Amino acid sequence: MERIQAIAQNVSDIAMKVDQILRNSLLNGKTTEGRRDQCEVPRDPNFPDCSGKVEWMRARWTSDPCYAFFGVDGTECSFLIYLSEVEWFCPVLPWRNQTVAAPSTKSPPRVQILIHIGFLTEESGDVFSPRVLKGGPLGEMVQWADILAVLFILGHTLKITVSLKELQSNLSVPPGRGNCPLTVPLPFDLIYTDYHGLQQMKQHMGLSFKKYRCRVRVIDTFGTEPAYNHEEYATLHGYRTNWGYWNLNPKQFMTMFPHTPDNSFMGFVSEELNETEKQSIKSNKANNMAVVYGKEASIWKGKEKFLSILNKYMEIHGTVYYETQRPPEVPAFVKNHGLLPQHEFQQLLRKAKVSSQHPYAEDFIGIPHVWTVDYNNSEEFEAAIKAIMRTKVDPYLPYEYTSEGMLERIHAYIQYQDFCAIAALSDKANSNTMQSSASPLRLQSNSTHLAWSHNSSSSHRLPAWPPINSMQVWVSDAGQACTSTCQQHGLVCEPEFFKFINKKEVFQQLSIVCDSTESEMNHLYPAVAENVRECYLQKEPLLFSCAGCNTKYQRLCPCRDYRKGQVALCRDCL
């Protein structure tokens, strides 16, 4: 096997050398030999940065071997050829017989997808693998496995990389320090990666990263809200973190749970049971047994009062990892099983009456399957425990966590999400619809909110997804986020619709009095400070956000309907 790998690597190295020779031959061909020292920097108003880039190349072209790889040799002509044919800062020289093929508008039957799992690369330190058997985060592993399975089942062409060398090879990264663009156009329609992979791509793709980043989808367990994503805004307002500041469309971040509609809900697949298995679980359910889920001992610290109350009514089980001694943070009355294999852990959960829950379950599942209580309120907590012990429920799995649900959702994303065209769509919306004299939004009969007029011809002119006719516009209470406002009305906030309501006329339609209207960068805008009758519009589209609130503002909130059991999709989204 080692011998075969060595031969393969040798062939790969030879292929790279041949490719370099061919590229140099193209740049240094005999037909241009007499012209290579006769180039003048063109003065073209369409390329205002050209002269400055040539000056930079004169001083620094030896700073990275990638320039020589592309044929730069210190002459003016080689600078201009590079800056016009490899990068795009200068016009193509007239004597260079270059033709550029028009991009095809026909979608390929299969999407070409690169999957780069950055956290597994040696260069990232592989922080996950050593912790797999020690209570580490296995959720990310499960999600990646499901993503791979879904993309394969949907019939797309996949290339999977788990090393930096493989990434560079598949992206056609030139040799050097990452200052040059890719040697060929990106051969992938989509790239699924994580934050480690995103950093690696930015480091090695040069200018091509900015050009192609709209094709990236970032697997982001807990999500990234717009205030943390926008680099300048995050820096100025204290939202800077180790994982934010990428200036991507927030929908490019794909989460494990639908924490915020500002991101795309990727999810994962849970085990599906047949009727026989469901009946078996119901018959074996213990009335006085609770499983508290927290694999690391630190999670249990400071929870003694809550656990003591629960222990009065139920036998408590835990699955906290330890090597030799029982963690002191876990009370003695908790029966700790240590880290269990998946099958044994599932069997434990199936017997239990109570398990710790998640905000998603609170918002979209609810009673009788999910009870939300303040465990610092002893009376409320005890009352909930007694009610739970009296309640009998059937096993329940939301549709969006079934195999079919995830396939449906990811297919819709691939089919309809196009972040490379988002700017063009935004311009079209602003020029064609939102600047028209007749607004397509209509005040509803109860005068509480606006809805998109189903008779409006604008709906057909706007290729928006989700479809624009699912939109309703509500005004939040002071200090309330748009996520909560929309949920109050049985809807979800849809950040893609902010661009359609970010205008002064919408305030007027809602009978909001604005003594002044300003346009600023703020993740809470559009909004009104009603006590002073000041209205604010959003200046930066990347900051449109469903999350966030301030007692000073009432926010304009774009909401939409959703499919039961599939919150990521509206009723007409498929």
Side-chain angles (χ1 to χ4, degrees):
M1 179 59 71
E2 291 179 357
R3 178 66 174 164
I4 293 173
Q5 290 176 337
I7 294 172
Q9 183 60 51
N10 200 24
V11 171
S12 176
D13 293 342
I14 293 172
M16 286 185 62
K17 291 178 181 177
V18 171
D19 184 66
Q20 183 174 348
I21 291 170
L22 291 174
R23 291 180 182 278
N24 287 339
S25 175
L26 176 65
L27 292 174
N28 302 321
K30 293 181 179 179
T31 58
T32 64
E33 194 67 38
R35 301 174 178 172
R36 291 189 61 78
D37 294 317
Q38 301 174 12
C39 295
E40 294 183 2
V41 178
R43 300 181 183 276
D44 188 330
N46 294 319
F47 298 89
D49 298 323
C50 183
S51 59
K53 290 293 181 179
V54 171
E55 286 290 334
W56 189 95
M57 291 292 288
R58 288 186 189 125
R60 298 181 178 86
W61 73 273
T62 58
S63 64
D64 194 317
C66 70
Y67 299 120
F69 173 81
F70 282 105
V72 176
D73 59 8
T75 62
E76 291 289 286
C77 288
S78 69
F79 298 153
L80 290 169
I81 291 170
Y82 174 84
L83 291 171
S84 61
E85 297 177 18
V86 179
E87 297 183 4
W88 41 89
F89 293 105
C90 297
V92 176
L93 296 172
W95 48 271
R96 297 282 295 177
N97 187 21
Q98 300 286 324
T99 57
V100 179
S104 172
T105 57
K106 184 178 180 182
S107 300
R110 289 186 175 186
V111 175
Q112 305 291 321
I113 300 177
L114 173 66
I115 299 168
H116 179 60
I117 309 177
F119 75 82
L120 291 181
T121 61
E122 183 179 345
E123 290 77 11
S124 71
D126 189 10
V127 295
F128 279 76
S129 296
R131 299 176 63 198
V132 166
L133 300 178
K134 298 182 178 181
L138 293 178
E140 287 81 355
M141 305 283 196
V142 171
Q143 189 179 34
W144 272 112
D146 288 342
I147 292 168
L148 291 169
V150 165
L151 295 176
F152 178 78
I153 292 169
L154 289 174
H156 301 301
T157 303
L158 311 181
K159 177 68 72 171
I160 303 168
T161 61
V162 291
S163 74
L164 186 56
K165 186 175 182 180
E166 290 174 317
L167 176 68
Q168 291 173 314
S169 174
N170 282 284
L171 293 179
S172 299
V173 173
R177 299 185 180 90
N179 288 311
C180 296
L182 305 180
T183 60
V184 297
L186 186 70
F188 301 103
D189 303 298
L190 292 173
I191 300 175
Y192 287 83
T193 189
D194 52 29
Y195 279 113
H196 294 284
L198 198 62
Q199 185 63 50
Q200 290 167 350
M201 285 191 290
K202 181 180 180 181
Q203 182 179 351
H204 295 279
M205 288 176 69
L207 285 171
S208 295
F209 179 77
K210 184 176 182 180
K211 182 177 181 180
Y212 293 121
R213 65 182 177 180
C214 59
R215 302 188 192 183
V216 173
R217 306 292 184 265
V218 184
I219 308 306
D220 179 4
T221 303
F222 298 108
T224 299
E225 295 175 1
Y228 297 87
N229 171 60
H230 192 282
E231 183 174 18
E232 179 186 354
Y233 186 79
T235 302
L236 289 174
H237 296 87
Y239 292 106
R240 190 76 184 235
T241 65
N242 292 331
W243 63 88
Y245 65 83
W246 285 98
N247 292 330
L248 299 177
N249 184 308
K251 284 284 189 178
Q252 289 178 252
F253 299 106
M254 313 201 100
T255 61
M256 185 173 289
F257 295 94
H259 302 285
T260 169
D262 292 321
N263 303 144
S264 295
F265 166 44
M266 170 65 77
F268 56 91
V269 173
S270 294
E271 183 184 22
E272 299 176 57
L273 304 176
N274 57 38
E275 286 304 315
T276 302
E277 291 170 323
K278 289 180 181 179
Q279 290 302 320
S280 175
I281 290 174
K282 288 175 66 177
S283 62
N284 292 320
K285 183 72 71 173
N287 287 326
N288 61 342
M289 174 181 171
V291 174
V292 177
Y293 185 60
K295 294 182 294 183
E296 296 185 355
S298 59
I299 298 173
W300 295 70
K301 190 173 183 179
K303 307 298 191 302
E304 293 81 2
K305 181 180 178 182
F306 148 71
L307 293 169
S308 297
I309 295 173
L310 183 60
N311 187 54
K312 287 169 55 179
Y313 299 93
M314 296 186 179
E315 179 182 82
I316 304 177
H317 294 249
T319 56
V320 186
Y321 169 79
Y322 64 95
E323 291 186 355
T324 55
Q325 295 183 341
R326 180 187 176 93
E329 296 89 345
V330 181
F333 54 75
V334 175
K335 185 177 181 180
N336 185 30
H337 299 262
L339 195 64
L340 293 176
Q342 183 183 20
H343 177 72
E344 293 181 28
F345 180 59
Q346 287 176 337
Q347 294 299 321
L348 183 67
L349 286 178
R350 289 173 179 176
K351 293 179 183 178
K353 190 76 174 180
V354 180
S355 169
S356 61
Q357 295 294 343
H358 189 280
Y360 161 79
E362 173 190 348
D363 294 334
F364 295 103
I365 300 176
I367 294 174
H369 300 279
V370 179
W371 298 67
T372 303
V373 296
D374 178 5
Y375 63 77
N376 292 312
N377 184 326
S378 302
E379 292 183 3
E380 180 184 344
F381 184 48
E382 287 198 55
I385 294 174
K386 292 175 183 178
I388 290 169
M389 294 179 71
R390 294 191 301 266
T391 305
K392 294 186 180 297
V393 296
D394 293 326
Y396 173 71
L397 177 65
Y399 174 73
E400 51 206 337
Y401 283 98
T402 65
S403 300
E404 184 180 351
M406 187 170 182
L407 285 164
E408 178 183 81
R409 185 169 62 254
I410 305 311
H411 170 71
Y413 289 159
I414 294 174
Q415 186 81 9
Y416 297 111
Q417 284 186 334
D418 185 355
F419 302 115
C420 298
I422 202 78
L425 290 178
S426 179
D427 291 342
K428 188 173 183 179
N430 289 333
S431 60
N432 290 355
T433 301
M434 300 318 292
Q435 301 303 321
S436 63
S437 56
S439 171
L441 293 168
R442 295 286 179 266
L443 187 67
Q444 298 307 286
S445 57
N446 55 9
S447 300
T448 58
H449 68 286
L450 302 176
W452 195 270
S453 173
H454 291 275
N455 297 324
S456 173
S457 60
S458 304
S459 301
H460 305 291
R461 298 202 306 267
L462 289 172
W465 192 83
I468 193 69
N469 57 13
S470 65
M471 179 171 70
Q472 297 181 23
V473 185
W474 291 83
V475 181
S476 78
D477 294 332
Q480 187 179 44
C482 283
T483 48
S484 303
T485 300
C486 294
Q487 282 177 6
Q488 263 184 301
H489 302 288
L491 305 167
V492 294
C493 181
E494 180 48 65
E496 289 297 319
F497 292 161
F498 270 113
K499 60 193 173 189
F500 301 117
I501 68 170
N502 188 45
K503 58 180 302 191
K504 187 175 180 179
E505 288 78 4
V506 175
F507 289 107
Q508 295 172 348
Q509 285 185 277
L510 288 163
S511 301
I512 296 174
V513 179
C514 302
D515 288 346
S516 65
T517 304
E518 302 292 336
S519 182
E520 298 178 7
M521 282 175 50
N522 190 310
H523 70 289
L524 303 179
Y525 296 166
V528 56
E530 193 172 30
N531 59 330
V532 291
R533 301 203 297 192
E534 293 176 349
C535 296
Y536 300 93
L537 299 176
Q538 180 59 259
K539 186 177 181 180
E540 171 53 70
L542 287 180
L543 286 174
F544 283 137
S545 176
C546 293
C549 60
N550 187 300
T551 53
K552 177 182 176 181
Y553 300 116
Q554 289 181 271
R555 302 187 58 191
L556 294 190
C557 301
C559 310
R560 63 163 171 83
D561 56 37
Y562 62 92
R563 292 169 170 249
K564 183 174 175 57
Q566 188 72 288
V567 66
L569 303 179
C570 66
R571 291 171 190 161
D572 296 328
C573 275
L574 297 176

